[in-house]
Amino acid sequence: MAIHRNRVIYQSEALFISPDATGYHFTGAETNVPGVGSGPFGLMTPPITDRQDFGGTLGEPALNSAGQLVGWQPGDAWPQWNPDNNMPAAKARFDGNADIDSHVETYTLIATVAGIAGNAISVVADGVQSLQQIGQNEGFAVNGGDASLVPDQGFTINGFNGGDEADGADPATRASVDISIPVESKPLPVEIVANFEGVAGNVTLTGDDTSTINQLVAGHNASNPDNTLSVIEGGQHVLNNTKTITLSGGSDGYAHAHGTVIKQLKRVQSANYGFTVNRADVNQFGHASRLDSIVVESPTVNLDFSYYILDGFNERMLEFVTNGATNTLSGLLTPELYQAGNNFFILTTPEARDAVRGDVNLNETESLENSKSVISLGNGYVTDYSVDISVGSIPTANVTVEGMNIKSDFGTTGNNLPSVDMRDGSAISNAWSGNQKGVSYEGGCTGLFSLPAANSGYTGCTGDVPDVAALRPGDVVLDLANAGLISKNVSGNANVPVVGSAHVQSVSIQLPLARTTLQRLGSTFGFSKSIDLPLNVSFNVNAMVADMKEGNMLDLLCDCDKLDVGVTVFDPECNVCDTKQGTVAMKYELKGARLESENFSSSIGDNKSVDLTFTAQIGGADDLANGLFISGKEANEDNQGLPPAWTGIGGQTTGAASGYLFGYRG
């Protein structure tokens, strides 16, 4: 009897995001590629080795039928999954003794018979017998060298001298000769290394009694420019006829989880998704019911999810800038980057299995990969972002997304992307041709995705660098610039209380991102969902009132001063006597803010409370005085706190293979 799933539970799901809906979903190269140059080359198709070959040159890169860069060539099979990152690429190598021909050895040959008879020895080597065997047959001993070696065929040994007859009491002397002899076969050290990683470097070189190893390698390199070798030692030797040198150990290796640029979002608490298709009924005289119901405007796909704020990683994946120095919405406002939105993926594993590790176990068990399913949302645009921090609760962020397509697949790798081409509304997977999940992709593949292995993103609270499971309200520090008109508030971001300041109970940041779907004739879908400007962000504070202060609203009406208010959340730390000076996990700062309202509430049995609302307007990437600025601990020198595919001011990308290819920061 077939067993059916009873339900989907949260332990069986994980939420992922890709940096650009219609861009390349796999990592680019970071090493030299023969005939192309050095990377990185941006978001491309799966690497067959740990570097990314995409064909062509920097000036004329290979393109598929849709005019996109290709990295997956015809006939390439889907790479193996490497969730533990334990399949690195390696260069082939030979480092040992090789059978060498015509190597010159120096010997002292001594006749075994005394007297002048020893002077008459003359030997012709046959290329089979060793020098020791020849000596035994011809009457001489070998000193000063390896007598087990075989002299070259046709080599003649002449010139023994010094032997004479005994004279009186003196013994007879034996003839000898010091001589250098080319030997037919001697094991000598040779080292050859492939210049590039991969199994293609596991080649065999065959000797011909004439060519040196340097010449053999040069001939190989001329015939195989994409798989060249280098001689480290022993290049001057001649390899014996029919003898071989085989390089081994070359491994293609596989990038972590297929080298996908898709990332799992951390600490997700909820996810809700669905779609609405907007139709128009077609009626006519003579019919009580409609003739048809057709789609006349872009359908709406919705996704909203929440997560515990942690270190800025999720925010950066959502295209926010988290370095604290650049307006955080600069990524969202860059049309070169964000015109196509993001793709979102919800992985579901069978009931009773956690997505974490269960995902990998199912993949490693043949025939169980398709027991996993993926709901994918294409061209998703963030339309609302909010943060809630309150006493007694873990700081949480809430995100609302609108998309253009939603699809479901079995298995987590080699599936078509859910996104649509923003130019004409066609499926982005139509940019390639061939069999889905097969091995033949005639035009190059840009339309597939693979999910990385689901993981907890938590390494534990012990060790030299303890990880953080969640942030706490007890590690929150506020700066309200003492901006309340009537209530006294904290000022400064140093956790130094202002005597009589209000006791803050909760803080929320609301960032509504109203968007307009830009449509045009000829396409069902919009070609973008542009943010409506100006864009306001609000900062709301609820506090128990302590002391009042002098203030007059008339003065506020004439006040043109702008405020900088914000909230800082530190990593959890034990109680100490000094102020919080540890690691800042997350910091939200509103620059150019104004006090909008201050409302008091007082009733029997409750503490008197005040609600303060500050608002600011979002500025551009070059506006350092207005807007929302987010700092995340996760921002570092490598990613600079910039979104993975952020093109920078003006849409420029450093080191891209073409003018329209986005860079990737991980």
Side-chain angles (χ1 to χ4, degrees), residues 468 470-472 474-477 495 570-584:
V468 175
L471 304 181
R472 308 181 305 190
D475 295 303
V476 174
V477 175
N495 200 33
F570 290 83
D571 272 349
E573 59 183 20
C574 295
N575 293 326
V576 292
C577 296
D578 55 4
T579 60
K580 290 187 180 299
Q581 298 177 347
T583 302
V584 173

Side-chain angles (χ1 to χ4, degrees), residues 19 32 78 87 126 173 182 184 226 246 275 278 282 306 355 380 420 459 469 481 499 515 551 560-561 578 621 625:
N32 287 329
W78 189 264
M87 298 169 64
D126 57 8
T173 58
E184 172 69 24
D226 293 338
T246 299
F275 66 92
N278 302 306
V282 179
S306 64
V420 298
T459 59
V499 177
R515 293 178 180 271
C560 63
D561 292 338
D578 55 4

Side-chain angles (χ1 to χ4, degrees), residues 377-393:
L377 183 149
N379 306 96
Y381 298 82
V382 177
T383 58
D384 189 83
Y385 174 80
S386 63
V387 174
D388 294 304
I389 304 173
S390 61
V391 172
S393 299

Side-chain angles (χ1 to χ4, degrees), residues 111-188:
T112 55
V113 295
I116 59 174
N119 295 336
I121 297 175
S122 180
V123 179
V124 177
D126 57 8
V128 176
Q129 298 183 87
S130 68
L131 192 59
Q132 183 179 26
Q133 292 172 324
I134 296 173
Q136 291 173 347
N137 296 333
E138 303 295 337
F140 63 85
V142 182
N143 287 340
D146 187 349
S148 65
L149 300 178
V150 178
D152 263 344
Q153 185 173 354
F155 184 81
T156 302
I157 305 174
N158 292 315
F160 280 77
N161 59 74
D164 57 14
E165 300 295 341
D167 183 12
D170 294 330
T173 58
R174 289 184 291 173
S176 66
V177 62
D178 294 329
I179 191 170
S180 295
I181 302 176
V183 293
E184 172 69 24
S185 178
K186 180 177 182 179
L188 288 176

Side-chain angles (χ1 to χ4, degrees), residues 245-261:
I245 292 176
T246 299
L247 283 73
S248 61
S251 171
D252 284 344
Y254 296 96
H256 191 191
H258 295 119
T260 178
V261 300

